């Protein structure tokens, strides 16, 4: 499902669908600029409509059919009085910035799923909150369809492909690169924190070990041991800090980047993850450059610390009977 103005990201979805459907299956692309998901002051009239070019992109990518209904066909009685509600998840992040957007999006997705009756429906992961809400709607309302997410397609400089990129002037585009740069910085910080965690697993560094090193006058080693022991616990905060630093710098550019939000969330409900979190997460950002609003995200995995085996160095030896030796002195 698309709103048209097809680009390489959409073409990737169609090619993926073609591979999944095989030579005897059918791939249907929908093109519909949905008025229900545009709020007051948003760019409904400005949104590009390039149906002839879209037909060529879809055909070359392997689509069998392009379904491009008009507004009167999708909403024959005018705006529908009965709509899908996105619920609490639809009020966070993008939903808070664009009230009612996700209700309108889910309503048209539900209608188009009924009208096209697919076995599988493919959506880009760039719109991560949209994808999560569609999956939740399909599960909650028992739609007979499998929802498939396809990774974000990026331009060579890292900018996520979007129909809105065409609005960016040269200087604005340079500023807009801060979105992907910030996300990659967060991802790199996570890798570094997890490398520290791996060190902790290889040579356990408990707080007791750090205190013992301090007692022996090994202040530098003690600080390192404490940092290693805390690496896994503070990963989410470190990821946010690394990404935020890039965005703060971009706010001082000309033209500046105006941040809407930076969030590190659980993809099941789009609530912020706490320090100590393990599992799948999404680092998401939204910002304006000039008059253009852009979103982007990267998926992250916070791995749990491996505690399956304890190193002998982390387990104090028993004190022999009849001695006064304190096991806490061992390092």
């Amino acid at each position: 499902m698309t709103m048209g103005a097809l680009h390489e990201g959409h073409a990737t979805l169609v090619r993926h669908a073609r591979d999944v459907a095989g030579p005897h299956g059918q791939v249907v692309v929908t093109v519909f600029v949905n008025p229900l998901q545009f709020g007051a002051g948003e760019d409904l009239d400005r949104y590009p409509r390039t149906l002839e070019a879209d037909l060529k992109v879809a055909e070359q990518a392997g689509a069998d059919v392009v379904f491009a209904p008009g507004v009167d066909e999708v909403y024959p009685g005018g705006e529908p009085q009965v709509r899908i509600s996105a619920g609490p998840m639809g009020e966070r992040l993008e939903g808070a910035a664009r009230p009612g957007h996700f209700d309108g999006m889910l309503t048209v997705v539900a209608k188009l799923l009924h009208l096209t009756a697919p076995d599988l429906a493919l959506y880009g992961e760039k719109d991560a909150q949209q994808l999560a809400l569609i999956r939740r709607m399909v599960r909650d309302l028992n739609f007979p369809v499998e929802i498939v997410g396809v990774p974000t397609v990026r331009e060579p400089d890292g900018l996520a492909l979007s129909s809105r990129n065409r609005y960016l002037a040269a200087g604005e585009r340079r500023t807009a690169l801060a979105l992907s740069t910030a996300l990659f910085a967060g991802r790199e910080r996570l890798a570094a924190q997890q490398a520290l965690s791996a060190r902790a697993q290889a040579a356990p560094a408990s707080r007791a070990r750090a205190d013992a090193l301090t007692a022996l006058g090994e202040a530098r080693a003690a600080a390192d041991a404490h940092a290693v022991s805390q690496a896994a616990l503070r990963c989410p905060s470190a990821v946010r800090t690394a990404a935020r630093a890039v965005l703060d710098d971009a706010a001082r550019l000309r033209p500046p980047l105006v941040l809407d939000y930076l969030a590190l969330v659980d993809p099941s409900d789009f609530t912020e993850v706490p320090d100590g979190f393990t599992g799948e997460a999404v680092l998401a950002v939204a910002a304006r450059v000039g008059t253009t609003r852009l979103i982007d995200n990267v998926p992250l995995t916070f791995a749990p610390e491996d505690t399956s085996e304890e190193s002998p160095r982390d387990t104090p030896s028993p004190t022999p009977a009849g001695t006064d030796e304190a096991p806490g002195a061992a390092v």
Side-chain angles (χ1 to χ4, degrees):
M1 296 181 186
T2 80
M3 292 209 300
L6 301 188
H7 50 63
E8 180 57 27
H10 297 109
T12 298
L13 286 171
V14 179
R15 287 193 293 267
H16 193 120
R18 180 78 274 159
D19 290 343
V20 172
H24 305 298
Q26 287 189 323
V27 175
V28 178
V29 174
T30 66
V31 174
F32 180 66
V33 181
N34 177 33
L36 294 192
Q37 63 195 74
F38 287 81
E42 293 188 332
D43 54 357
L44 174 60
D45 294 333
R46 186 186 177 201
Y47 198 88
R49 293 163 172 80
T50 57
L51 184 57
E52 290 303 316
D54 293 345
L55 293 173
K56 293 178 182 178
V57 172
E59 181 180 16
Q60 291 171 359
D64 296 296
V65 175
V66 173
F67 178 48
V71 174
D72 291 342
E73 294 174 275
V74 177
Y75 304 121
E79 289 196 6
Q81 296 184 35
V82 177
R83 307 188 187 195
I84 301 291
S85 170
M89 183 164 41
E91 298 171 358
R92 300 171 186 136
L93 301 186
E94 284 298 290
R98 306 175 66 189
H101 166 73
F102 285 125
D103 292 354
M105 179 276 294
L106 290 178
T107 298
V108 80
V109 168
K111 289 177 73 74
L112 291 172
L113 287 174
H114 285 311
L115 291 169
T116 58
D119 298 299
L120 294 90
L122 290 80
Y123 299 87
E125 292 178 355
K126 185 178 81 70
D127 296 298
Q129 193 172 1
Q130 169 180 284
L131 176 59
L133 282 162
I134 292 171
R135 283 179 165 149
R136 186 60 185 252
M137 177 185 74
V138 164
R139 181 170 70 249
D140 286 355
L141 301 183
N142 302 104
F143 279 65
V145 61
E146 179 183 347
I147 303 301
V148 178
V150 178
T152 300
V153 178
R154 298 185 180 277
E155 300 193 35
D157 59 7
L159 188 67
L161 282 174
S162 169
S163 301
R164 291 187 168 93
N165 290 354
R166 68 185 66 194
Y167 300 150
L168 297 170
E172 292 174 338
R173 184 185 172 87
R174 286 191 293 273
T175 296
L177 290 175
L179 274 76
S180 56
T181 302
L183 296 177
F184 299 158
R187 185 172 63 188
E188 289 166 4
R189 179 60 60 86
L190 174 60
Q193 293 291 109
Q194 290 181 332
L196 276 176
S197 183
R199 285 179 56 196
Q201 293 173 31
S206 65
R207 181 58 185 268
R209 180 169 180 256
D211 291 343
L213 285 165
T214 300
L216 292 173
E218 297 288 345
R220 183 183 296 275
D224 181 68
H226 185 65
V228 170
S229 70
Q230 295 297 308
L233 294 178
R234 294 179 179 168
C235 270
S237 289
V239 168
R240 291 185 183 96
T241 298
R244 172 74 67 169
V246 175
L247 298 170
D248 287 346
D249 286 344
R252 294 186 285 271
L253 297 176
R254 290 292 177 267
L257 181 141
V258 181
L259 184 66
D260 275 2
Y261 62 76
L262 172 70
L264 181 60
V265 297
D266 184 332
S268 68
D269 59 8
F270 269 68
T271 57
E272 290 278 352
V273 303
D275 280 340
F277 174 84
T278 60
E280 301 300 316
V282 172
L283 181 62
V285 63
R288 293 184 182 274
V289 182
T291 60
T292 304
R293 186 175 186 275
L294 300 170
I295 63 172
D296 200 355
N297 73 86
V298 291
L300 300 174
T301 301
F302 290 84
E305 185 174 356
D306 183 4
T307 57
S308 57
E309 295 184 6
E310 286 193 38
S311 166
R313 294 179 59 192
D314 209 33
T315 304
S317 300
T319 302
T323 72
D324 293 325
E325 183 180 352
V331 180

